[in-house]
């Protein structure tokens, strides 16, 4: 796998992505329902941004807008500049070249993104060849095996011929990350990539995302409802609620010194290390949002 950062070049430089005044709405019986409102954020080249918020806060709509994949009926305004180009100005063929190639997405449920009737190798090869005209099957297979090695799937040369059901949930997510990686994307958007996985596997996948980011220089947007997850991976965090930005700042600051009440409530739901037994204690009580904050 080639790396995109030059030796000695700073990993974090100018902006990879710049979002300004992003507003997304759906027409409803009583006017437009704005599910994302006036959102601003930046992602530096090689940076990692966490977008956190409860269900329905507009996280996925924001990422779909970046891919220009909003559902039919969605209205979008504002500006999304990816590597200096305004995404809204790109025509569909140009956008198709960006999607999957320069921006890769990883979703929560790898099983629904993988076709059960084809081996994982065939699917990685197919995805790769659809973005690289003229690549032979043999060359694509080599890329697939290398990508699987990159995500630490042992015995990749053999596993490449296995079907999705022959992998565990965590391994399937590695396959999806391998598929994304094979494209050498400049930006990886991971929408709740570890929500369906148990805690140990979740930690391994997060470590892998961090490793990939460091090795390839790709930018990362990690979307989750779980502040503990982003605090491990992101340098910058955007907290969203009801389509609006609640708070934005360096991950460490948000984690240690949240300015907004809502962020504090999200933090209260974060599992903490129990010193006595040295094990992860998962919060069993859901966060109660006080009436006045709803
Ligand atoms: N096709 C649609 N038509 C109308 N409203 C929609 C449509 N798709 C999503 N929405 C609304 O947009 C809002 C934001 O949805 P979004 O999927 O971005 O939330 P989210 O933060 O990703 O939540 P989750 O954590 O559950 O994935 C929700 O209130 C949702 O009901
Ligand atoms: Mg979502």
């Amino acid at each position: 796998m080639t790396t995109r950062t030059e030796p000695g070049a700073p990993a974090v430089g100018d902006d990879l992505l710049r979002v300004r005044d992003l507003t997304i709405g759906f027409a409803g019986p009583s006017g437009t329902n704005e599910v994302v409102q006036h959102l601003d954020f930046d992602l530096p080249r090689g940076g990692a941004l966490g977008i956190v918020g409860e269900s329905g806060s507009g996280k996925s709509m924001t990422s779909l807008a970046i891919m220009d994949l909003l559902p039919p009926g969605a209205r979008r305004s504002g500006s999304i500049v990816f590597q200096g180009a305004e995404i809204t100005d790109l025509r569909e063929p140009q956008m198709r070249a960006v999607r999957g190639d320069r921006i890769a997405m990883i979703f929560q449920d790898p099983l629904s993104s993988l076709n059960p009737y084809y081996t994982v190798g065939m699917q990685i090869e197919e995805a790769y060849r659809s973005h690289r005209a003229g690549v032979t099957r043999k060359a694509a297979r080599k890329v697939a095996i290398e990508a699987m090695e990159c995500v630490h799937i042992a015995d990749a040369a053999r596993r490449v011929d296995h079907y999705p059901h022959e992998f565990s949930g965590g391994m399937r997510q590695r396959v999806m990350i391998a598929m994304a990686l094979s494209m050498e994307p400049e930006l990886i958007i991971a929408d709740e990539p570890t929500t369906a996985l148990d805690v140990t596997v979740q930690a391994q996948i997060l470590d892998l995302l961090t490793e990939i980011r460091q090795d390839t220089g790709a930018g990362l947007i990690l979307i989750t409802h779980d502040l503990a997850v982003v605090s491990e991976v992101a340098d910058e965090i955007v907290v969203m609620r009801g389509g609006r930005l609640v708070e934005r700042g360096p991950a460490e600051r948000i984690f240690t010194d949240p300015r907004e009440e809502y962020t504090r409530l999200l933090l209260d739901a974060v599992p903490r290390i129990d010193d006595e037994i040295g094990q992860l204690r998962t919060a069993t009580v859901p966060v109660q949002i006080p009436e006045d904050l709803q």
Side-chain angles (χ1 to χ4, degrees), residues 59-60 191-192:
K59 307 181 296 294
S60 293
D191 192 347
E192 303 271 9

Side-chain angles (χ1 to χ4, degrees), residues 213-226:
R213 184 194 148 206
Q214 283 162 355
D215 289 354
T216 67
L220 176 69
I221 296 181
L222 178 63
I223 295 175
T224 169
H225 60 276
D226 186 345

Side-chain angles (χ1 to χ4, degrees), residues 29-263:
S30 50
T32 304
N33 175 26
E34 290 189 339
V35 297
V36 172
Q37 295 173 57
H38 310 293
L39 190 63
D40 293 338
F41 63 85
D42 302 306
L43 177 66
R45 219 164 270 284
L49 176 81
I51 303 183
V52 198
E54 66 196 21
S55 187
S57 55
K59 307 181 296 294
S60 293
M61 287 301 132
T62 301
S63 65
L64 292 175
I66 296 168
M67 299 284 277
D68 200 20
L69 285 177
L70 284 171
R75 288 181 203 153
R76 174 190 64 187
S77 64
S79 157
I80 300 174
V81 175
F82 174 67
Q83 293 200 313
E86 177 64 58
I87 278 189
T88 38
D89 292 345
L90 296 180
R91 292 176 184 281
E92 184 51 28
Q94 295 169 303
M95 197 56 222
R96 223 174 289 141
V98 168
R99 236 180 261 138
D101 185 348
R102 292 164 64 196
I103 306 180
M105 266 197 102
I106 299 161
F107 297 98
Q108 174 173 341
D109 179 8
L111 207 48
S112 65
S113 318
L114 287 166
N115 187 324
Y117 302 115
Y118 294 97
T119 64
V120 297
M122 283 162 91
Q123 297 182 61
I124 299 175
E125 288 161 34
E126 187 54 37
Y128 182 72
R129 290 179 79 200
S130 72
H131 286 272
R132 299 279 195 281
V135 170
T136 61
R137 291 207 64 160
K138 201 175 160 205
R141 185 176 166 87
K142 188 162 172 274
V143 167
I145 295 172
E146 277 174 9
M148 284 173 68
E149 282 167 350
C150 267
V151 298
H152 310 302
I153 294 177
D155 206 3
R158 193 173 59 86
R159 294 290 267 160
V160 73
D161 294 322
H162 287 189
Y163 289 86
H165 74 266
E166 298 177 85
F167 291 81
S168 66
M171 282 295 155
R172 276 197 287 267
Q173 196 55 293
R174 284 178 194 265
V175 168
M176 292 312 298
I177 297 171
M179 193 182 287
L181 263 188
S182 67
M183 301 297 176
E184 300 181 14
E186 277 119 42
L187 171 62
I188 298 170
I189 303 179
D191 192 347
E192 303 271 9
T194 61
T195 307
L197 306 173
D198 69 51
V199 177
T200 327
V201 180
Q202 179 170 330
Q204 290 163 359
I205 297 290
L206 295 175
D207 285 348
L208 175 65
L209 286 173
T210 300
E211 181 191 316
I212 283 166
R213 184 194 148 206
Q214 283 162 355
D215 289 354
T216 67
L220 176 69
I221 296 181
L222 178 63
I223 295 175
T224 169
H225 60 276
D226 186 345
L227 248 177
V229 164
V230 274
S231 67
E232 304 224 338
V233 178
D235 350 283
E236 186 93 5
I237 290 179
V238 162
V239 181
M240 285 181 76
R241 173 145 207 252
R244 287 184 173 274
L245 185 130
V246 172
E247 177 163 15
R248 181 177 69 181
E252 206 187 310
R253 204 275 296 152
I254 297 272
F255 211 65
T256 55
D257 180 26
R259 309 249 153 100
E260 298 297 323
E261 178 69 17
Y262 179 65
T263 312

